[in-house]
Amino acid sequence: MKLFEIIVILHVLAGATGLISFWIPIAARKGGVSHRKWGRVASLAFMAAGTLATAMALLSLYGPEQRLPMIKDRVLFRGLFGWMMLYLGLLTISFADYGLSVVRHRADRAGLRTARHQALFAAVILSALNCGLYGLTTGEPLMALVAAIGLIAVATQLFYIWRPSVARGAHVPEHFRSLLGMGISAYTAFLSVGLIRLVPDHVFNPVIWAIPSTVGVGLIVVFTLKARKASGARRPA
């Protein structure tokens, strides 16, 4: 229990840093100093928070279940603080790692095909399938929906990595889609897993769960259109 409490404190500190700094690179000029600096801060903070969330999930699954006694439904506890937190933690780490790596390896995608990257993708896929199956079998379809979103995102990333060739500058939309996905997964975890501590009755409120995805997808559409417009302006007649 003591170890769990220490991890929770560190997770909150890392998560709060990521949740706040996440918006600075979005508002800053793309490619500028502030964009790069705070984008890296947010990514590293979310990676730390995701790692700690994974540790908490494993402790919740295999450790004592006296935590959060206000939750009488231990099936719900196992789903949210076990399999759901494990999946969202891995997904957040994967999004952050891919978002940084796709820029680092923009000239040679072979760097994204290493065992380390592929193992992380595999971990996300397995945890998403498990989370979705648990949600369907326990009558919580929102867990399955969130898992499906992650599977679709990973599929698009793998398609970019393994396709024979990509257009020049294709890493740019991959970069911001991934880091916006990082924010979506982090805010989803904050509003779902974290919300139950304050208002347990609204833990599966679809309106609350839809907020991060709605905002995130809207930003993805906006930045995608801007990127295409800029690409068209640079293309010679």
Side-chain angles (χ1 to χ4, degrees):
M1 286 298 293
K2 199 64 175 179
L3 173 63
F4 190 85
E5 292 171 1
I6 294 173
I7 294 176
V8 168
I9 293 173
L10 295 175
H11 172 74
V12 170
L13 292 175
T17 301
L19 292 173
I20 295 171
S21 58
F22 168 75
W23 296 101
I24 299 177
I26 291 179
R29 182 176 63 85
K30 304 303 174 281
V33 175
S34 295
H35 175 83
R36 295 195 306 271
K37 174 183 176 181
W38 289 103
R40 187 169 183 80
V41 169
S43 298
L44 294 178
F46 278 140
M47 291 177 75
T51 301
L52 293 166
T54 301
M56 288 191 294
L58 294 175
L59 288 174
S60 296
L61 286 168
Y62 302 108
E65 293 192 345
Q66 287 78 20
R67 292 184 288 276
L68 299 178
M70 78 285 294
I71 305 175
K72 305 302 182 183
D73 187 345
R74 303 318 287 183
V75 174
L76 173 64
F77 177 88
R78 186 177 181 84
L80 279 179
F81 290 89
W83 300 123
M84 178 82 169
M85 184 179 288
L86 178 65
Y87 159 65
L88 288 175
L90 291 172
L91 182 65
T92 302
I93 296 170
S94 178
F95 272 138
D97 180 66
Y98 179 75
L100 296 177
S101 299
V102 76
V103 174
R104 186 181 309 119
H105 301 293
R106 59 186 177 275
D108 185 6
R109 287 173 297 133
L112 298 171
R113 298 170 182 170
T114 62
R116 181 183 74 82
H117 289 290
Q118 300 308 306
L120 186 53
F121 285 130
V124 173
I125 292 171
L126 291 175
S127 65
L129 291 173
N130 182 73
C131 177
L133 181 61
Y134 190 93
L136 291 176
T137 56
T138 57
E140 302 297 349
L142 279 176
M143 290 179 63
L145 177 60
V146 172
I149 293 173
L151 288 172
I152 293 172
V154 170
T156 62
Q157 292 168 355
L158 289 173
F159 178 71
Y160 169 82
I161 292 172
W162 292 100
R163 64 187 300 185
S165 62
V166 295
R168 182 180 179 183
H171 69 281
V172 176
E174 286 292 310
H175 168 71
F176 64 66
R177 275 197 296 264
S178 182
L179 294 187
L180 286 172
M182 171 190 73
I184 292 173
S185 62
Y187 271 95
T188 299
F190 173 70
L191 291 177
S192 57
V193 179
L195 187 68
I196 195 173
R197 298 173 181 270
L198 300 177
V199 281
D201 293 339
H202 292 279
V203 63
F204 281 113
N205 187 329
V207 175
I208 293 174
W209 282 51
I211 292 174
S213 294
T214 302
V215 174
V217 170
L219 289 171
I220 288 174
V221 171
V222 169
F223 285 123
T224 299
L225 293 176
K226 285 185 176 180
R228 288 181 178 177
K229 182 178 179 181
S231 177
R234 291 192 300 267
R235 188 179 297 116

